[in-house]
Amino acid sequence: MSVKDMLLALCVVVAWGINFVVIKLGLQGMPPFLLAGLRFTLVAFPAIFFVKRPAIPLRWLVVYGMTISFGQFAFLFLAIKLGMPAGLASLVLQAQAFFTLLLGALFLAEKLRWNHIVGILVATLGMFMLATAGMEGQTTAGITLTTMMLTLAAALSWGLGNITNKIILRNRSVPVMSLVVWSALVPVVPFFACSWLFEGETVIVTSLLHISLQTLLALIYLAFVATIMGYAIWGNLLSRYETWRIAPLSLLVPVVGILSAALILNETLSLRQMIGVSVIILGLLVNVFGGMVTQRLAVRT
């Protein structure tokens, strides 16, 4: 992997890590469903006029958009709005890797290896530590069982989107940006409908008429930097390098998320939460690298 491409990959990791802080800042001036609806509107328009529609059945495009876009960000934005720390959200959301494995085994008959099972168990222990620390008040970050469950629901939606993506890509090649841009059309109406029903006309009008520069910049970042630019670069790298070279770099996203939240939002963690974070990261590492270590040991012996 060239130095240039490594730097590009790290730029995407940083952009995705800071993304959670930007969501938190954007939600200070706008309700979650409205913010998400505007975010995906900006992703879809005007890009759909320049990006060809993916050659996949409409039903799969809808399922993909409703899971990885609507479901994931409806739960995530709501969790952060209700107080889920941005840094911890970036970490807990990585449970999508485990949900993807379990759903793959359930729906696609994919085999779970020992490192997957151990990784799931270890990470679950870490998340339990985070949740119980919040319920017992052993935190200054404001995590609760409700926000934890909402973030896990976002991770589950992401996992469902990953499985849908696998089904879509069977026996066909679909450009990453084509799928990202056109699937962004799917959640726009549901998000605005939820905003109208749950946030109300008055809040919507007030938020739009008095939109702050901070909220506007957050929308631009979420739509163009984190989504369009991020997925364009990441997809290009995945198309040119082996998956094992690129995918593990995403483990740095929660590291950037936690550090940026501490620096920008002054989020702090209790000792018990820091231990929980460490245990979750250990579970992710076992999940990603456990199989590689076993293979290398087998080759040596």
Side-chain angles (χ1 to χ4, degrees):
M1 191 173 184
S2 68
V3 175
K4 176 186 175 183
D5 287 340
M6 177 62 74
L7 290 175
L8 282 173
L10 290 176
C11 284
V12 175
V13 166
V14 172
W16 284 348
I18 295 176
N19 180 56
F20 294 86
V21 172
V22 175
I23 291 172
K24 192 86 168 183
L25 294 173
L27 289 171
Q28 291 177 0
M30 186 171 285
F33 294 129
L34 180 60
L35 183 70
L38 291 174
R39 177 237 180 111
F40 283 100
T41 299
L42 291 176
V43 171
F45 296 99
I48 60 168
F49 298 114
F50 306 97
V51 177
K52 187 178 179 181
R53 183 185 181 280
I56 61 175
L58 179 61
R59 65 180 184 278
W60 287 118
L61 186 65
V62 171
V63 172
Y64 183 77
M66 288 300 293
T67 53
I68 208 163
S69 297
F70 179 73
Q72 178 184 181
F73 291 102
F75 289 123
L76 178 63
F77 278 33
L78 185 57
I80 293 178
K81 181 67 174 181
L82 292 177
M84 183 69 178
L88 291 182
S90 70
L91 178 62
V92 175
L93 195 63
Q94 296 307 310
Q96 60 84 18
F98 303 121
F99 283 124
T100 301
L101 289 171
L102 294 172
L103 291 168
L106 181 62
F107 295 113
L108 303 179
E110 295 180 350
K111 291 184 179 180
L112 290 176
R113 302 184 183 278
W114 73 266
N115 55 298
H116 299 151
I117 297 172
V118 173
I120 290 171
L121 293 175
V122 172
T124 300
L125 174 62
M127 291 180 190
F128 176 78
M129 294 176 69
L130 282 181
T132 54
M135 288 186 290
E136 294 171 7
Q138 299 176 15
T139 173
T140 56
I143 186 174
T144 66
L145 180 60
T146 298
T147 56
M148 172 67 84
M149 295 306 295
L150 284 170
T151 309
L152 286 174
L156 174 60
S157 297
W158 187 354
L160 287 168
N162 288 337
I163 296 301
T164 304
N165 189 48
K166 284 190 175 186
I167 295 173
I168 289 173
L169 295 180
R170 279 181 173 177
N171 304 320
R172 61 169 68 91
S173 177
V174 180
V176 174
M177 282 312 300
S178 176
L179 188 59
V180 169
V181 169
W182 281 87
S183 67
L185 278 174
V186 176
V188 170
V189 172
F191 271 129
F192 287 143
C194 285
S195 181
W196 185 272
L197 289 172
F198 300 112
E199 295 163 352
E201 179 182 356
T202 302
V203 173
I204 294 173
V205 173
T206 302
S207 298
L208 293 176
L209 290 179
H210 302 284
I211 188 170
S212 66
L213 179 60
Q214 175 177 297
T215 303
L216 187 60
L217 291 175
L219 277 169
I220 292 173
Y221 185 95
L222 294 173
F224 298 107
V225 178
T227 305
I228 293 180
M229 290 179 58
Y231 281 105
I233 295 173
W234 197 257
N236 179 265
L237 292 173
L238 283 173
S239 69
R240 293 189 291 111
Y241 293 100
E242 300 93 333
T243 303
W244 64 266
R245 291 183 184 273
I246 306 299
L249 293 174
S250 63
L251 291 175
L252 294 174
V253 171
V255 176
V256 175
I258 291 171
L259 291 176
S260 61
L263 291 172
I264 300 173
L265 301 176
N266 296 317
E267 291 184 0
T268 57
L269 302 176
S270 67
L271 176 60
R272 184 166 177 175
Q273 281 186 313
M274 287 189 285
I275 295 173
V277 166
S278 301
V279 172
I280 293 172
I281 292 175
L282 176 61
L284 290 169
L285 290 172
V286 170
N287 174 62
V288 173
F289 297 108
M292 298 180 190
V293 173
T294 301
Q295 289 177 1
R296 290 186 179 182
L297 290 174
V299 170
R300 289 182 180 180
T301 56

